[in-house]
Amino acid sequence: MFYAWAGLAVQSVLTAGVIAFVLSGAASQHSAIADVHGRAEAVQAARPFLGVGLGWTSAVLAFGFMVPVIAVAAGLRWVSTPLHAITTAVRSRTLGDNEARAVPGGPADIRDLATSLNRLADESDRVRAGELERARLLADVRQASVRIHGHLRADAIISEAVTAIHEHLTVDFVWVGIVTGERLTLAEGDPDAWGEVADIVGYFPPDSVGWIRDVYRHHSSYRVQDLRAAQAEEIPAGIKKILDSQGATSLLLTPFGAGQELLGCVTLLRTGIGRGWTQPEIEAVESLAGDIGRGLEHARLYEGEQRLVAELKSLDRAKASFLASASHDLRTPLTSIIGYVELLSDDEVGPVPPDQVRMLAGVERNARRLQTMIEDMLTTSKIELGAFTTRLRPLDLVSLVPTAADVIRPSAAKGGLEFEVSCPEHEVMVDGDPEQLDRLLLNLLSNAVKYTPRGGRVTLTVDSAGSSALLTVADTGIGIPEKDQGSLSTRFFRASNAVEAAIPGSGLGLSIVRTIVANHYGDLSVESVQDRGTKVTVRIPLQGVHGPPEPDGDPA
C-alpha cells in the first residue's frame, strides 16, 4: 500500500508537468498570431492569456507538489506509528515487562512483523514458565531426596516418595510396583483414589516385567499423553485393559533399579482430558525413581547387614554361654585337684619324698595357671553376657596392695626378680569394687612377672594426684613391639615377641583390666619399649569425684 501511494505522487507530478507544457504551447501560439496582425496589437491581445496560463501553471505545479508531500507524510506516519509501537514493546520486554506485546497495524509486512514478535514473546514466556516449573520441581525433589535417604526401611522409602509425588505433582493415582521374581507386587499406592481397587499391580500379566525391563534398559520413562491414541497400542493388552477400566487418560511409567537390575517401577495416572505430562514433571519423577532405587538398594544391604549382625551376636552369645558353662564345669574338678595337692604337700596323709614334693609343686603350679586361665575365660563370658556387674563402695586402694603382693611375691622370687612395692602412709579412698580391683592388681602383676626375664625388676606403686588415684605397675621385661601396641585390648591378642618366646598366656588379662577400669570410670595407659620394659598406669577418680578422672601427670 505504501508503494501505491508513492506511485500516485509520482503520477501527479508528471500530470502537472504535462499541463504546464500545454499552457506554454498556447502562449506561444498567441505570440505567433501577434506577429501576423501586428506586433503591438498581438502583444496586447496575448497578455491576458499569458497571465491566465501562468496562473494556472503555478496552481497546477503547487497542487502537484503538495499532493505527493501529503501522501508521503501520511505514508510515513502510517508506517512509523506501528514500528514505534513494536520498538516500545521490544524495549519493555527487555526491561522485564513480560506482558508487553506489539499491536499489529500498518502495512502487511509490519503487521506480520508484529505478529511474529508476539509469537516469539509467547514462546519465550512458555519456555520461561517451563524453566521455572523445572526449577521448582527439582528443588522439591531435592528435599524429598534428603528425606528418602534418611530411611533404611523399604516401606518407609517408598511411602516417602509417594507422599512427595502427591505433594508436588497433580496426579490422580500413584502406585509403586516391586519386582518379585518375574511378577510385580504392590509396594505402596493410593487405593482410596480408586475405591475398591486396592491391588492393581497384582493383576498385571506375567509378561509385564519383561516389558518394563525393556523400558528400564533405555534409562527413560514410558509416557502416553492420550491413552486413546495410537501410541497406547504399544502397551501390553493386559495392562491396557486395566488402565481403561479405571478411566485413565494419560500414563507415566518410570522404572527404577540398581545397576542393571530392575527393582520396580513408579506408575502415575491422570483421568482429565488434555492433562498431559510436561518435561519438568517427567524429569522430577525420574529423579525420584532414581532415589527410590538407590534407597531400596541401601535398605537391602542394611537389612542384610542387620541379619548378619544378629546372627553374629547370636553366635557370640552362644560362645560366651558355652565358655561360661565350660569354665564353671572345669573349676569344680580343678579346685578339687589343687586341694588334694595341698593336702599331699602338707604331709596330711603321711610323709612325701622330696622327688614327689617337686612333682606336686609342678602339678600345683600348672593347676593354678589353668585356674587363672579359667577365671579369665569365665570373667570374659560374664562381660560379654552383661553379667559382669560392678558394686562400688568406699574403698582404700592401699589396703588391697598387701594381699596382691603376697600372692605375687613367691612367683617373683622364683623367677629371680626384684619386687618392689611403694604405697603412701595415708589412705587413698576411691569408690570401687574390691573383688574387681584385686583382680586388676593380680592381672597386671602376673603379666609383669611373666614377661620379665630373670634378674629384672617389677615395681608396684599406689599414690594420688589431683582428683585421681594412681596405680602403676612397671617392669624391665621384654616390652611390647610398637606395631602390636594398638591391639593390646583385643581379646585373645598376644604380642608377637611373647608368642615367639613361647611364653604361655591367654591374651585375656589386659582386656579384662581395661573393662574393670572402665567400670570404675577410670583411664588406662600403657607405655612400652621392646626389650626395655612396660609401664601400665591406672587412674581412678578419688572418692566423691564422679566421671572420668582428670589427665594428671605421674608424680615425679
Side-chain angles (χ1 to χ4, degrees):
M1 185 62 71
F2 174 72
Y3 301 110
W5 278 96
L8 180 60
V10 173
Q11 184 179 1
S12 299
V13 173
L14 292 175
T15 302
V18 171
I19 294 173
F21 178 77
V22 173
L23 292 177
S24 298
S28 299
Q29 186 178 5
H30 282 289
S31 297
I33 294 173
D35 290 337
V36 176
H37 293 286
R39 183 177 294 276
E41 293 83 357
V43 170
Q44 186 67 31
R47 186 172 295 167
F49 288 98
L50 182 60
V52 173
L54 290 174
W56 277 104
T57 299
S58 300
V60 170
L61 288 173
F63 178 77
F65 280 112
M66 290 298 294
V67 168
V69 170
I70 294 172
V72 170
L76 289 175
R77 183 175 181 80
W78 186 41
V79 173
S80 64
T81 298
L83 282 176
H84 179 70
I86 293 174
T87 303
T88 302
V90 172
R91 185 179 296 111
S92 298
R93 288 190 63 85
T94 302
L95 295 176
D97 183 8
N98 295 324
E99 300 298 327
R101 293 291 187 277
V103 179
D109 293 343
I110 296 179
R111 289 198 304 272
D112 290 342
L113 176 61
T115 302
S116 298
L117 286 174
N118 289 340
R119 289 175 180 172
L120 182 61
D122 293 340
E123 180 64 17
S124 177
D125 290 346
R126 187 189 67 78
V127 172
R128 184 180 296 104
E131 291 300 325
L132 291 175
E133 178 70 3
R134 177 178 285 104
R136 180 188 69 82
L137 288 175
L138 289 179
D140 295 336
V141 166
R142 281 193 292 270
Q143 295 177 1
S145 177
V146 172
R147 296 195 299 270
I148 288 173
H149 290 297
H151 297 287
L152 288 174
R153 292 194 345 267
D155 55 346
I157 291 170
I158 294 173
S159 177
E160 193 70 61
V162 171
T163 300
I165 292 174
H166 277 299
E167 288 179 352
H168 305 301
L169 292 178
T170 303
V171 295
D172 294 308
F173 184 64
V174 178
W175 80 64
V176 177
I178 298 297
V179 174
T180 304
E182 285 300 315
R183 293 193 64 87
L184 282 174
T185 57
L186 184 67
E188 182 69 28
D190 189 10
D192 293 338
W194 298 100
E196 297 179 356
V197 182
D199 191 1
I200 297 176
V201 181
Y203 297 104
F204 274 16
D207 60 348
S208 303
V209 172
W211 175 67
I212 296 173
R213 187 174 285 114
D214 290 338
V215 177
Y216 179 65
R217 289 195 185 101
H218 291 86
H219 304 286
S220 62
S221 297
Y222 185 80
R223 172 184 60 179
V224 179
Q225 300 287 27
D226 187 356
L227 287 171
R228 298 167 299 177
Q231 183 189 2
E233 296 177 359
E234 302 174 359
I235 303 174
I239 300 177
K240 182 66 167 58
K241 182 178 180 181
I242 295 172
L243 298 177
D244 291 340
S245 68
Q246 306 306 320
T249 57
S250 60
L251 164 70
L252 178 61
L253 185 145
T254 304
F256 57 81
Q260 299 298 319
E261 182 184 3
L262 174 68
L263 297 180
C265 66
V266 181
T267 304
L268 286 73
L269 297 180
R270 285 174 174 166
T271 58
I273 302 299
R275 296 171 59 195
W277 306 100
T278 65
Q279 189 60 31
E281 290 176 331
I282 296 174
E283 293 174 1
V285 174
E286 289 178 347
S287 180
L288 278 175
D291 289 329
I292 295 174
R294 288 186 290 271
L296 291 180
E297 178 66 9
H298 292 162
R300 184 166 62 180
L301 294 174
Y302 177 74
E303 290 173 359
E305 291 178 355
Q306 290 293 96
R307 287 193 298 270
L308 181 59
V309 169
E311 292 175 1
L312 291 175
K313 286 183 177 179
S314 177
L315 291 174
D316 203 41
R317 286 193 298 270
K319 180 198 69 177
S321 178
F322 170 76
L323 288 175
S325 177
S327 300
H328 183 271
D329 291 341
L330 287 173
R331 277 203 310 177
T332 301
L334 189 60
T335 301
S336 178
I337 292 172
I338 294 174
Y340 281 117
V341 168
E342 291 177 348
L343 289 175
L344 291 173
S345 300
D346 292 339
D347 295 333
E348 293 290 336
V349 292
V352 180
D355 292 340
Q356 294 181 7
V357 170
R358 288 194 298 272
M359 293 178 184
L360 289 175
V363 172
E364 182 179 10
R365 182 173 62 254
N366 286 285
R368 292 195 179 279
R369 180 183 298 172
L370 184 58
Q371 185 182 39
T372 301
M373 184 179 298
I374 291 173
E375 289 293 338
D376 287 343
M377 292 175 61
L378 184 59
T379 302
T380 301
S381 301
K382 289 181 178 179
I383 293 172
E384 293 179 351
L385 294 173
F388 190 67
T389 57
T390 302
R391 297 177 177 83
L392 301 180
R393 63 178 179 81
L395 173 68
D396 179 14
L397 193 59
V398 176
S399 65
L400 300 178
V401 173
T403 303
D406 290 342
V407 173
I408 293 299
R409 191 169 279 111
S411 300
K414 187 173 182 177
L417 304 179
E418 182 181 350
F419 182 49
E420 299 178 359
V421 177
S422 176
C423 296
E425 295 181 359
H426 58 80
E427 295 180 339
V428 179
M429 297 298 297
V430 298
D431 292 320
D433 186 319
E435 293 184 3
Q436 291 189 9
L437 291 178
D438 182 66
R439 181 67 177 279
L440 178 148
L441 279 170
L442 289 176
N443 279 8
L444 292 180
L445 291 172
S446 296
N447 281 348
V449 169
K450 180 166 56 177
Y451 295 114
T452 302
R454 180 175 295 274
R457 184 177 66 257
V458 175
T459 303
L460 169 62
T461 303
V462 176
D463 206 343
S464 62
S467 61
S468 301
L470 298 180
L471 189 153
T472 304
V473 176
D475 64 63
T476 59
I478 63 174
I480 304 169
E482 185 176 356
K483 65 178 181 179
D484 296 337
Q485 293 183 16
S487 304
L488 290 179
S489 299
T490 304
R491 286 175 298 172
F492 301 106
F493 175 82
R494 303 192 66 217
S496 56
N497 55 347
V499 175
E500 292 172 0
I503 300 175
S506 63
L508 295 173
L510 198 56
S511 65
I512 294 173
V513 168
R514 189 172 292 276
T515 300
I516 293 174
V517 172
N519 289 351
H520 286 77
Y521 307 101
D523 176 71
L524 175 70
S525 62
V526 179
E527 302 174 22
S528 185
V529 178
Q530 188 172 2
D531 299 326
R532 295 181 59 183
T534 301
K535 177 182 177 182
V536 180
T537 302
V538 176
R539 292 179 175 86
I540 299 175
L542 292 173
Q543 185 183 4
V545 179
H546 300 285
E550 298 177 359
D552 301 312
D554 294 339

